Structures are given as C-alpha cells and as structure tokens.
Amino acid sequence: WVRGKYESAHMGKAYGFAAECMRAGLAKGEAGEVLQIFDWMPVAAVVGAKRKVFCCHGGPPLDWDLLKEPVDERKSVVTLIEEVPRPAPCADVGLINDLVWAQYDKEIKDWGPNPSGSSYVYGRDVLERFLRGHRMDFFCCSITSVSSGYAEPFPGLGVLTSGTETNSSDFSSLAAVLHVREDESREPELFEPWGEAMGSRLARQVEDLLEQVGTALVKRAL
C-alpha cells in the first residue's frame, strides 16, 4: 500500500478521518497520533520480478534530472525516496507532494499547472522519458477515480486504477487492482460496488481496528 493524497494529517482532519477516529473512541490527541502514521507510509513502490513497474498515487516528480536517459543511479527517484528522512510530512511542493498529487493530462506534452492547485499535470512525453531513464516499462497510479475501475490514459505505458474504492463520490463505480505476475504480464482485477450489508460489515471492521489502535495507545501511555 502506497501513500495517497489523502494520507496526511491536514487531509485527514479536513475530510473526516480524524473525526471518524474520535467517533470510534479515541481522544483528540490519540487521533492526532494515528494521523501521524501517514508520515511513515511508503510513497512509491517498484514491483515485478524484474522491477519494471513503478507505482505511486500521483506522478513522476517535477525534476528534469529524473528524465535523463539513463538516470544516474545516485539521483534516481528510488534513491531520492530512500534518502527522505522519516517521518515525512507532505509539504506543499517537492518530491513527496508530486508523488501523491501530480496528475496526468492526455492533452499536454510536458508539464502544466494542476487544477487542484497542488503539484502539476504531466503528459505522455514526461512519462515515457521517466520510464526509459529508470529502465522501467510501466507506470501504475490511482490519482483519479474512474467509473470503469481502471483506465489506460497512455496505452502501453501506464494504467490508472481506482484502488479498492467502490461507490466513489456516491456513484456506483467499480474498483480495480493491477496484478503483476512473475512473467511480467499484467492484468487488472475489477470489484463490484459494495451492497449495504458489505458496507456495514466493513464499517464495523474499521471501528474494531480503530478501537484496537486506541487500546494500544492507552497501554503505551500507561
């Protein structure tokens, strides 16, 4: 699981996760400690037997050095990520911000301003150069929900998945994950929207998990 744009203390408070923690029984300070876990989450992953698939929530960092062919191993995106000290809050600009907030745009060639106001949008040319420079051949992100569960904005180069988020924004959307097999073949798996019973069961599981986290925090305090 890699960190997304909502996995930060600020977004957790703004979009109700902190309130959900407190409804599950955590004190305000304890909920704040839970939100700090986001700063320890991985922001990207390289998967596959040959390490050819790059995964993150957003997009390639806005750094021309990362588009050189080939990229100096000492300056590769993997090296830069490994050098980030933890905990690592998501700043308004920079490496982590781009990896979780950058968004693709099929209409542009290089980079452009992001309508969200955070990070930037990137085109096919940026993605091609990023993958070639890092000797990879596929890119997987989940920055935008799509009703079909997944999409291929840049066919042959990358896939956009909606993660495991069904019923996104109150629409009956599918969800998807991308399976990468040992032979490097890739296949998305789709998930149907949850019914009311499944949603209620998941909500109870989340509440149980938050209660366990709260109990662990109390024990640690004692």
Side-chain angles (χ1 to χ4, degrees):
W1 189 275
V2 297
R3 186 177 183 178
K5 61 185 180 182
Y6 292 109
E7 274 84 56
S8 71
H10 169 71
M11 297 297 283
K13 293 175 183 176
Y15 284 87
F17 182 67
E20 184 70 22
C21 290
M22 287 185 282
R23 282 197 296 271
L26 298 187
K28 184 176 181 180
E30 294 168 343
E33 290 194 39
V34 172
L35 294 178
Q36 291 176 19
I37 294 173
F38 295 145
D39 294 342
W40 295 89
M41 289 179 65
V43 292
V46 180
V47 302
K50 298 180 181 179
R51 294 175 60 81
K52 295 289 187 179
V53 181
F54 186 85
C55 306
C56 68
H57 186 75
L62 180 58
D63 186 337
W64 285 108
D65 286 337
L66 298 179
L67 301 186
K68 295 179 179 178
E69 301 176 29
V71 170
D72 185 334
E73 288 295 330
R74 295 169 299 177
K75 298 180 180 180
S76 73
V77 67
V78 173
T79 300
L80 293 178
I81 292 171
E82 289 176 342
E83 290 177 347
V84 173
R86 302 302 176 94
C90 184
D92 293 335
V93 295
L95 178 72
I96 295 179
N97 182 271
D98 292 338
L99 287 168
V100 302
W101 275 100
Q103 187 166 333
Y104 72 88
D105 187 333
K106 295 187 291 185
E107 305 302 321
I108 68 170
K109 182 179 179 181
D110 292 318
W111 284 299
N114 193 331
S116 72
S118 189
S119 189
Y120 67 97
V121 295
Y122 60 93
R124 184 183 182 95
D125 184 61
V126 167
L127 188 55
E128 285 182 328
R129 293 165 63 185
F130 175 81
L131 291 173
R132 283 199 306 264
H134 287 82
R135 299 179 180 86
M136 299 180 193
D137 58 24
F138 205 73
F139 186 89
C140 181
C141 69
S142 58
I143 187 67
T144 303
S145 295
V146 287
S147 60
S148 59
Y150 77 99
E152 295 185 74
F154 305 117
L157 283 183
V159 64
L160 165 74
T161 75
S162 286
T164 53
E165 178 189 18
T166 56
N167 296 323
S168 174
S169 301
D170 296 325
F171 293 101
S172 295
S173 59
L174 299 175
V177 295
L178 183 70
H179 294 280
V180 181
R181 299 187 175 87
E182 290 187 5
D183 62 359
E184 297 297 313
S185 63
R186 300 176 291 267
E187 182 180 4
E189 179 182 1
L190 297 175
F191 298 87
E192 295 289 339
W194 290 324
E196 184 176 347
M198 177 65 77
S200 298
R201 190 175 75 177
L202 180 64
R204 289 195 298 272
Q205 291 175 343
V206 171
E207 289 179 358
D208 290 343
L209 177 60
L210 289 173
E211 184 177 350
Q212 293 171 21
V213 171
T215 300
L217 289 172
V218 170
K219 288 182 178 178
R220 190 179 70 180
L222 296 175

